[in-house]
Amino acid sequence: MTNASTQIERILQRDVRAVARAISAIENESPVASELLKGLFAHTGQGLVIGLTGAPGAGKSSLVDKLALQYRAQEKSVGIVAVDPSSPFSGGALLGDRIRMQALTTDPQVFIRSMATRGNLGGLARATVDAVAVLEAAGYDRTLVETVGVGQDEVDIVKTADVCVVVLVPGMGDSIQAIKAGIMEIGDIFVINKAERDGVEQTERELIGLLEMTMRPDGWQPLIVRTVATENRGIADLVAAIEKYGEFVRHGESSQSRRSAVAENRILEILRERLLRRALQSVSASQLKDFAALVATRQRDPYSIVEEIISASSPTSMMHAASDSPRKINHLGVAVSTIDDALRFWRDGLGLELHEIEVVEDQGVRTAMLPLGESRIELLEATGDETPVGKFLAKRGPGIHHVCIEVADITAKLMQLKEQGIRLIDEQPRRGAGGMLVAFVHPASTGGVLVELVESSKPEI
Ligand SMILES: Nc1nc2c(ncn2[C@@H]2O[C@H](COP(=O)(O)OP(=O)(O)OP(=O)(O)O)[C@@H](O)[C@H]2O)c(=O)[nH]1
Ligand SMILES: [Mg+2]
């Protein structure tokens, strides 16, 4: 089993450390993260994901806390993701959250994690959605995602949840603020928290007025729930409202189109991030600063700079840039007295598969190819004493005869080696086995081993 599939197994069994490690990989944009997510995706979509958003201090964390306890009382496992876009590491308010949530942190059926922005590519929304996917795959019955409803990222995150809860508090202009942030449209349930305060009636009236003006395509009438999180009041009503909408999205006719819209956004988000990352591979941070200075002083325009960056990062230019670096060992050539004898170890003992035995007349050699991972072992048996392998055997005895290394552009590589004064046996590539372009480099220049170069038939981009 590969490392990724072991990790996936552990996550599916809800191994908390594996879950935490996967989320760290997501945050650090480690390549293993996408391998894990590919494997986990089929296991997502089982539980219910609940997004909570609202103004700073509205009581989102307090509500998440109480919701989690309520779900635990129902024997449901709970995953919690708190998004903190402001801090580069989890501190500040989240530390307070941690202490408050201590009752939950000791419960093995509750997983709490905070997410913060990293790097310059943004990607917080994508990273959070990915983290939620890990929790879903790990089989948490309910996943609660808390975001401060201030930026587009937050709206994007909450949009991907199955249920969107918008948290308001009584007081002036709260609903107006909510419209500005664009979250009125996404709320499936509206909570008026701190409902013990004055002005709760008016806030509710305002809210009803606003909701009457918007017609949802799915026909859902957003529910309004009053809570006092600190006193655990209204929490059961909120759970009931969430579950009711959960049923509605699961079985409603419009749920498929909503899921498709979310999936489309997700594809675009991943694509945007990958393309941006690829484009930025061809420009360093300091180059970017230099470009910015040129644009700021009107010496250059941003459009031609972007075109330059895009063309430098196109697959063909990337290929040229990468053409210098060899990709792998294509095969290892071993000179043997007889192939039959050598097969007793390589095939019968080691268990490699014998691919084919071929006689290459003009080289005076019989070869046996045994694939080994991405590479191969090539056994070489001389057809006569005066052949290159026959002479090799006479002079050095059986042993490693040559190493064959794959390069993307063999002609360019030979030119470069020649320029550097490397002694080449073939200055021009020729056709070898299977019609591949090959050339040999003299052992005098390589530290004593004959090196064969082969041009890879399909360069990886
Ligand atoms: N009076 C009253 N205070 C509450 C209520 N719910 C939460 N609070 C208090 O409001 C403050 C903010 O609560 P949090 O739960 O941290 O709010 P939040 O929305 O998560 O805040 P941020 O994550 O910083 O945006 C805390 O001091 C809570 O104790 C409530 O229903 N009534
Ligand atoms: Mg909070």
Side-chain angles (χ1 to χ4, degrees):
M1 253 198 302
T2 65
N3 190 26
S5 56
T6 317
Q7 284 273 92
I8 288 168
E9 274 309 307
R10 290 199 182 130
I11 291 164
L12 294 177
Q13 287 158 16
R14 209 187 299 156
D15 173 333
V16 174
R17 283 185 55 196
V19 169
R21 227 180 298 135
I23 297 177
S24 298
I26 289 166
E27 278 189 312
N28 298 330
E29 295 176 354
S30 141
V32 76
S34 45
E35 283 316 302
L36 296 177
L37 289 161
K38 280 183 212 165
L40 293 172
F41 190 78
H43 304 276
T44 61
Q46 303 299 316
L48 195 65
V49 180
I50 303 139
L52 287 98
T53 192
K60 301 176 294 294
S61 300
S62 310
L63 285 167
V64 163
D65 192 351
K66 295 294 179 342
L67 283 172
L69 290 169
Q70 190 88 17
Y71 278 127
R72 287 301 298 126
Q74 299 177 3
E75 306 269 294
K76 291 190 172 79
S77 54
V78 182
I80 298 174
V81 179
V83 181
D84 185 0
S86 53
S87 80
F89 45 81
S90 358
L94 283 164
L95 188 62
D97 282 1
R98 285 256 172 77
I99 292 163
R100 216 197 52 244
M101 284 181 173
Q102 237 155 28
L104 293 169
T105 48
T106 52
D107 184 340
Q109 296 300 313
V110 177
F111 182 92
I112 305 180
R113 177 70 180 229
S114 58
M115 304 282 296
T117 326
R118 286 174 202 228
N120 55 355
L121 296 186
L124 179 63
R126 203 262 316 133
T128 304
V129 174
D130 287 349
V132 169
V134 172
L135 294 182
E136 273 195 280
Y140 288 98
D141 300 315
R142 298 290 177 267
T143 302
L144 302 165
V145 186
E146 174 191 345
T147 73
V148 180
V150 285
Q152 189 57 43
D153 260 356
E154 285 68 40
V155 175
D156 288 348
I157 292 164
V158 174
K159 260 190 201 164
T160 64
D162 299 314
V163 184
C164 306
V165 178
V166 173
V167 184
L168 305 171
V169 288
M172 273 175 40
D174 269 309
S175 12
I176 311 296
Q177 270 175 16
I179 303 170
K180 268 196 209 149
I183 55 179
M184 285 307 282
E185 297 81 22
I186 61 168
D188 305 311
I189 293 160
F190 289 85
V191 171
I192 305 176
N193 189 42
K194 309 196 182 182
E196 84 280 13
R197 290 194 179 165
D198 290 344
V200 61
E201 308 288 342
Q202 200 201 323
T203 301
E204 185 160 339
R205 270 199 304 279
E206 253 185 83
L207 184 56
I208 291 170
L210 282 166
L211 292 174
E212 276 171 356
M213 293 191 321
T214 49
M215 249 295 278
R216 286 179 51 134
D218 62 358
W220 171 257
Q221 286 281 324
L223 301 171
I224 300 172
V225 182
R226 292 185 194 184
T227 58
V228 181
T230 38
E231 292 166 25
N232 209 19
R233 274 160 53 194
I235 305 300
D237 295 344
L238 179 53
V239 168
I242 289 168
E243 296 300 311
K244 189 171 175 195
Y245 186 69
E247 281 301 300
F248 179 83
V249 279
R250 277 205 192 106
H251 305 298
E253 282 173 9
S254 60
S255 60
Q256 183 54 37
S257 61
R258 173 170 164 161
R259 270 198 289 272
S260 294
V262 168
E264 186 175 333
N265 268 328
R266 192 158 185 205
I267 293 170
L268 289 175
E269 177 73 22
I270 296 168
L271 193 59
R272 208 172 285 133
E273 198 179 308
R274 296 258 168 120
L275 289 177
L276 185 57
R277 194 182 301 162
R278 183 198 279 180
L280 289 177
Q281 267 171 17
S282 64
V283 52
S284 67
S286 68
Q287 263 176 312
L288 201 59
K289 289 252 179 314
D290 293 345
F291 281 143
L294 292 172
V295 173
T297 52
R298 298 285 186 279
Q299 295 177 67
R300 293 216 38 198
D301 70 274
Y303 304 97
S304 58
I305 284 174
V306 166
E307 280 164 16
E308 206 173 289
I309 294 172
I310 287 176
S311 67
S313 63
S314 71
T316 37
S317 354
M318 299 288 243
M319 230 166 69
H320 281 300
S323 67
D324 277 335
S325 47
R327 288 150 199 280
K328 64 179 186 202
I329 290 179
N330 179 284
H331 65 263
L332 204 58
V334 181
V336 298
S337 305
T338 72
I339 283 177
D340 281 350
D341 270 351
L343 282 176
R344 286 184 46 228
F345 165 71
W346 293 97
R347 182 190 56 195
D348 308 339
L350 208 51
L352 298 184
E353 206 185 311
L354 174 60
H355 197 230
E356 60 179 329
I357 293 189
E358 194 186 341
V359 177
V360 187
E361 291 292 356
D362 62 342
Q363 293 289 312
V365 70
R366 220 175 135 233
T367 68
M369 278 294 186
L370 300 103
L372 176 52
E374 283 199 338
S375 188
R376 290 170 299 173
I377 299 291
E378 183 185 35
L379 303 177
L380 304 157
E381 183 189 83
T383 55
D385 292 344
E386 290 307 304
T387 61
V389 173
K391 285 187 204 157
F392 178 91
L393 283 166
K395 196 170 157 195
R396 301 216 199 178
I400 290 198
H401 177 263
H402 69 270
V403 178
C404 177
I405 292 168
E406 220 169 282
V407 295
D409 184 341
I410 195 167
T411 314
K413 186 47 88 185
L414 289 172
M415 273 170 60
Q416 175 225 315
L417 291 172
K418 196 179 171 202
E419 259 171 38
Q420 291 177 329
I422 304 293
R423 190 163 153 201
L424 302 174
I425 295 173
D426 304 297
E427 293 199 358
Q428 293 296 323
R430 55 190 172 81
R431 295 277 165 198
M436 309 280 275
L437 286 175
V438 301
F440 283 91
V441 184
H442 200 281
S445 287
T446 65
V449 67
L450 180 64
V451 171
E452 182 182 6
L453 300 177
V454 61
E455 189 169 275
S456 47
S457 47
K458 264 186 269 156
E460 297 157 36
I461 295 165

